[in-house]
Amino acid sequence: QRRVMGMLSFLTSIVVAVLNLLYSISWIKKRGWKIWYNMLARGAGSRPAFTFMNYGYTSSTNNAVSTTVSSEFQNELLPANLYRYTATAGGKIALLDKVVLEVGSGRGGGAAYLCQTHGPKLVLAVDYSLDAVMLARTIFRDVAGLSFLHGDAERLPFGPETFDVLVNVESSHCYPHFEKFVSEAARVVRKGGFFTFADFRQKEDMQQTLDCLSKYFTVVESEYITEGVLQAMNLEEARKRWMIERNAPKNLPPFITNLLLAPFKLFAGLNGTAVNNALRDGSWQYVRVLCSKQ
């Protein structure tokens, strides 16, 4: 068994190395993420086990997600908390009566949560995966004031100065040209409006990300929240592992099963995966940023 696990670890490291190489090629990166998210959406069914696609956030001082939120969010309070903490900058800005855009909305849980709990006038949510958009429309078809649209973060299908707040949570690492997205965000956000952002980067790339944001916006505050994200990942570990393993193919050798499940465990950031390890050893950092448009 030790030999099998060693071989699995070796093969996984090769796969990660190849993916990192391909990740550096812009069109492959963009197309690859689209295929991945389309595949996940197609396999989800009309009532998926999860509607948020982030690692979550928790801390001793910033856990204000109410346990009275509607039933579809009860099992995803920590991912919802990352949305709350990012979109409102920990309560520093209000979404009440605001026109809000989320870019990178995935299955729609974050946009629906903000729409139902923070009183915006309207929430528009855009994603590059058409299958994810269609799934989100199905799941949250009864939520008033919420619309899901298919679109490209680097070419947003909106006119100038349309939105009061733009929210982007754990999505931008999928974009081949981050600066194109930020320039588009600056174009569609109204003067006096806000761009709220949260995502991870390799440590050596983080300053470049912050510099890009400050080129187009005024950075009001930035906060490294890696520790709070890691705490949430620990708390979410059992739930995510159960969701992955319950869908494992039956009657296959353990080695094959583990190999097939490895990409999903990596994506979920389970303990022992490259993502989890990189956040723990500090080679990756997770940041939350509040920007304003003057």
Side-chain angles (χ1 to χ4, degrees):
Q1 185 177 2
R2 185 180 301 173
R3 188 175 181 180
V4 169
M5 293 306 295
M7 186 176 294
L8 177 62
S9 178
F10 175 69
L11 289 173
T12 300
S13 66
I14 292 176
V15 170
V16 170
V18 171
L19 289 175
N20 284 336
L21 178 62
L22 295 175
Y23 203 68
S24 65
I25 304 172
S26 295
W27 70 269
I28 292 179
K29 178 179 182 178
K30 192 167 188 173
R31 183 64 178 167
W33 279 118
K34 185 175 185 178
I35 291 171
W36 174 256
Y37 282 107
N38 279 341
M39 181 192 72
L40 291 179
R42 289 170 187 167
S46 60
R47 297 179 63 84
F50 60 93
T51 60
F52 290 81
M53 303 189 79
N54 68 70
Y55 295 138
Y57 173 77
T58 186
S59 81
S60 58
T61 57
N62 291 297
N63 284 340
V65 171
S66 171
T67 55
T68 61
V69 295
S70 56
S71 59
E72 66 255 52
F73 305 129
Q74 283 296 326
N75 292 327
E76 300 184 272
L77 293 179
L78 297 180
N81 195 43
L82 179 59
Y83 266 86
R84 178 202 62 81
Y85 195 48
T86 301
T88 70
K92 295 181 180 67
I93 65 172
L95 303 184
L96 184 64
D97 295 328
K98 297 293 192 293
V99 179
V100 178
L101 171 66
E102 185 191 2
V103 178
S105 53
R107 297 182 174 192
Y113 163 75
L114 295 176
C115 193
Q116 291 184 330
T117 59
H118 290 272
K121 180 179 180 180
L122 176 69
V123 175
L124 296 181
V126 171
D127 200 272
Y128 192 52
S129 165
L130 179 58
D131 288 279
V133 170
M134 298 302 291
L135 177 61
R137 288 174 179 171
T138 298
I139 299 169
F140 299 109
R141 58 185 176 275
D142 297 327
V143 178
L146 174 63
S147 296
F148 293 97
L149 305 173
H150 181 231
D152 187 340
E154 297 173 3
R155 294 194 308 172
L156 293 172
F158 307 106
E161 300 196 8
T162 303
F163 300 96
D164 300 304
V165 181
L166 190 152
V167 181
N168 185 246
V169 176
E170 206 173 296
S171 176
S172 70
H173 61 273
C174 299
Y175 309 161
H177 308 103
F178 180 66
E179 186 167 353
K180 284 186 179 180
F181 161 59
V182 178
S183 67
E184 279 290 271
R187 182 180 65 83
V188 303
V189 170
R190 293 170 179 157
K191 289 183 179 180
F194 296 97
F195 173 33
T196 64
F197 170 84
D199 211 346
F200 55 84
R201 291 289 189 276
Q202 293 184 17
K203 183 178 181 180
E204 59 266 28
D205 296 333
M206 184 60 80
Q207 190 58 52
Q208 182 180 357
T209 298
L210 296 175
D211 289 344
C212 184
L213 292 171
S214 64
K215 179 178 178 180
Y216 293 89
F217 291 92
T218 298
V219 175
V220 178
E221 65 177 21
S222 60
E223 178 189 8
Y224 289 94
I225 60 171
T226 310
E227 192 59 38
V229 171
L230 280 169
Q231 290 180 34
M233 291 169 80
N234 282 339
L235 293 170
E236 289 277 282
E237 172 85 12
R239 183 178 71 90
K240 289 184 175 181
R241 187 175 293 277
W242 173 79
M243 285 192 292
I244 292 170
E245 293 181 350
R246 73 169 182 164
N247 293 314
K250 309 301 181 186
N251 303 318
L252 289 178
F255 171 77
I256 301 299
T257 300
N258 288 331
L259 193 62
L260 291 173
L261 295 185
F264 299 95
K265 292 179 179 180
L266 176 67
F267 178 71
L270 299 187
N271 286 327
T273 61
V275 171
N276 196 291
N277 291 340
L279 289 170
R280 289 186 185 282
D281 66 25
S283 56
W284 283 15
Q285 297 175 323
Y286 206 117
V287 72
R288 176 193 65 82
V289 187
L290 171 62
C291 302
S292 67
K293 181 177 176 180
Q294 303 302 316

